[in-house]
Amino acid sequence: MSLLFSPLTLGQLELANRIIIAPMCQYSAENGQATDWHTIHLGSMALSGAGMLILEATAVLPNGRISYADLGLWDDKTEAALDKTLKSIRKYSNMPMAIQLAHAGRKASTRKPWEGGGAIAPDEHNGWQTIAPSAQAFNEGTALPSAMTFDEIDELILAFVSSAQRAERLGLDAIEIHAAHGYLLHQFLSPLSNQRTDKYGGSLDNRLSLLLAVFDAIKVVISPKMALGVRISATDWVEGGWDLAQSLVLAKALESRGCDFIHVSTGGLSPLQQIPVAEHFQVPFAEAIKGEVNTPVIAVGLITDANKAETILAQGQADAIALARTMLYDPHWPWHAAATLGATVKAPPQYLRSSPHGIKSPIE
């Protein structure tokens, strides 16, 4: 039996297989509200046969959006818009769905990628004042973020809690806290971006404290049936920055708090990063973390081949495989992987006659 197509349990959430659709920003929301594009895009992903779909990075506050066109879940209007999209999808798919709750911090207030993706100054159209652990910009020559006050940190924690409660009301099955890719919670973790001298900065324990406070606060308000995990960047790829050793400490702290999964990525904090991009280049970090905790670990990054994904699981390097750009390029990747590995996945009955002649159908 294929490991990739074997069941996986995250907390109390049961997945039919170990293919996870990773969050992919669509830059297509209006004032944080989901649009018809989200219904079309997420609907396609939800018919793919994957084990779980994680919605794109979803801001818990308006100033936490990466761009002015990012998805949000901070008020009744953003909740209602997402509710409409999810109800449409649920008519035709029972795939477990998660949401990635996020705040972009100093990497907020940008243009869409196809508009250049550059920072928008606070006084420009579609721009706003960004916040961060310390008043250090991501790129030189751009507006400085304001260093967060204790009141703003308390507001942030409450915003994560409120968004988590909205996510459960929407009937989502899991929450992933975004603490990777150089966004706000990652900014607090890394000594490169966190120059604070108070209880949130300096020592490793202090730098971990905000993320752990967010995790604990969400854990209290959601029901036990809802899985709660964290996405991390296991290294900044910059000397003197966040690294694997610190990630292992974080992973153990999360496990002790009842974390249901850890999604392991890398990078994104600094333009000085030197990333040795290659096939599966992030998998060793997932493997190292899996070796230290019993919490299910999700590997991601340039995993495109079904047989190689199977091997990663067989060698005990991870418990699940996450796909992002691969799914955009081939929304039926799980079907093709099932055909390759002699497995089957669920698909809508409208598609049951789609398999090429002479090939045993991988969908049921």
Side-chain angles (χ1 to χ4, degrees):
M1 180 179 178
S2 164
L3 286 173
L4 187 62
F5 289 94
S6 65
L8 176 66
T9 300
L10 305 177
Q12 296 183 17
L13 178 62
E14 296 183 2
L15 309 186
N17 62 61
R18 297 170 185 245
I19 302 171
I20 310 295
I21 302 176
M24 295 172 281
C25 290
Q26 297 297 293
Y27 306 98
S28 299
E30 296 176 358
N31 298 315
Q33 298 169 38
T35 64
D36 288 345
W37 173 259
H38 292 91
T39 305
I40 295 167
H41 163 67
L42 295 171
S44 172
M45 296 292 108
L47 301 179
S48 68
M52 183 169 73
L53 165 61
I54 308 178
L55 276 62
E56 66 189 82
T58 303
V60 299
L61 289 168
N63 69 357
R65 294 171 293 169
I66 303 168
S67 82
Y68 61 89
D70 276 26
L71 193 63
L73 187 57
W74 61 71
D75 63 8
D76 291 345
K77 289 183 178 180
T78 52
E79 181 179 343
L82 190 54
D83 185 47
K84 179 182 177 183
T85 286
L86 294 176
K87 282 179 177 175
S88 294
I89 295 169
R90 286 295 189 210
K91 291 179 183 178
Y92 303 103
S93 173
N94 62 359
M95 179 185 293
M97 288 194 286
I99 190 167
Q100 186 185 68
L101 297 181
H103 193 294
R106 69 180 188 177
K107 293 181 74 174
S109 188
T110 69
R111 294 175 175 82
K112 300 177 185 179
W114 52 88
E115 295 172 348
I120 303 176
D123 58 352
E124 292 183 34
H125 180 61
N126 288 328
W128 59 87
Q129 176 61 49
T130 60
I131 58 175
S134 306
Q136 294 180 318
F138 177 72
N139 281 312
E140 290 186 10
T142 58
L144 290 179
S146 62
M148 293 178 70
T149 65
F150 285 159
D151 285 346
E152 288 173 326
I153 290 173
D154 290 343
E155 178 189 3
L156 177 75
I157 296 171
L158 291 175
F160 269 99
V161 167
S162 176
S163 294
Q165 292 172 314
R166 292 180 186 278
E168 184 153 25
R169 281 204 299 268
L170 288 170
L172 290 161
D173 302 287
I175 292 170
E176 178 175 275
I177 300 170
H178 198 359
H181 300 163
Y183 298 121
L184 186 58
L185 294 178
H186 183 184
Q187 291 162 29
F188 271 88
L189 293 175
S190 176
L192 298 177
S193 49
N194 185 346
Q195 300 294 311
R196 300 177 75 99
T197 57
D198 57 26
K199 65 181 182 178
Y200 291 107
S203 70
L204 176 57
D205 285 346
N206 285 1
R207 287 183 280 113
L208 296 180
S209 61
L210 178 56
L211 170 56
L212 297 180
V214 168
F215 182 92
D216 290 344
I218 291 177
K219 188 78 172 175
V220 169
V221 300
I222 60 173
S223 62
K225 69 179 182 179
M226 197 166 198
L228 177 61
V230 178
R231 190 170 195 182
I232 68 169
S233 281
T235 178
D236 289 338
W237 297 110
V238 180
E239 185 176 353
W242 181 258
D243 58 18
L244 179 58
Q246 295 170 89
S247 294
L248 293 175
V249 174
L250 172 59
K252 292 174 184 177
L254 289 170
E255 180 170 61
S256 72
R257 285 166 159 77
C259 185
D260 294 315
F261 62 91
I262 302 173
H263 190 170
V264 183
S265 188
T266 65
L269 183 101
S270 169
L272 301 178
Q273 63 189 14
Q274 297 293 317
I275 303 179
V277 178
E279 185 180 58
H280 306 175
F281 73 102
Q282 296 179 147
V283 172
F285 296 94
E287 181 179 17
I289 291 171
K290 180 171 167 55
E292 296 291 331
V293 297
N294 293 315
T295 304
V297 173
I298 303 171
V300 67
L302 295 182
I303 304 170
T304 61
D305 180 88
N307 284 307
K308 292 178 180 179
E310 182 80 7
T311 298
I312 290 169
L313 299 178
Q315 292 179 342
Q317 295 176 285
D319 297 288
I321 303 296
L323 307 172
R325 291 176 177 86
T326 296
M327 288 298 300
L328 292 180
Y329 189 73
D330 181 5
H332 291 157
W333 190 93
W335 297 11
H336 305 152
T340 297
L341 298 172
T344 57
V345 294
K346 291 188 179 296
Q350 294 92 330
Y351 289 169
L352 291 180
R353 296 179 297 164
S354 66
S355 295
H357 178 69
I359 294 178
K360 181 181 179 181
S361 177
I363 58 176
E364 60 181 13

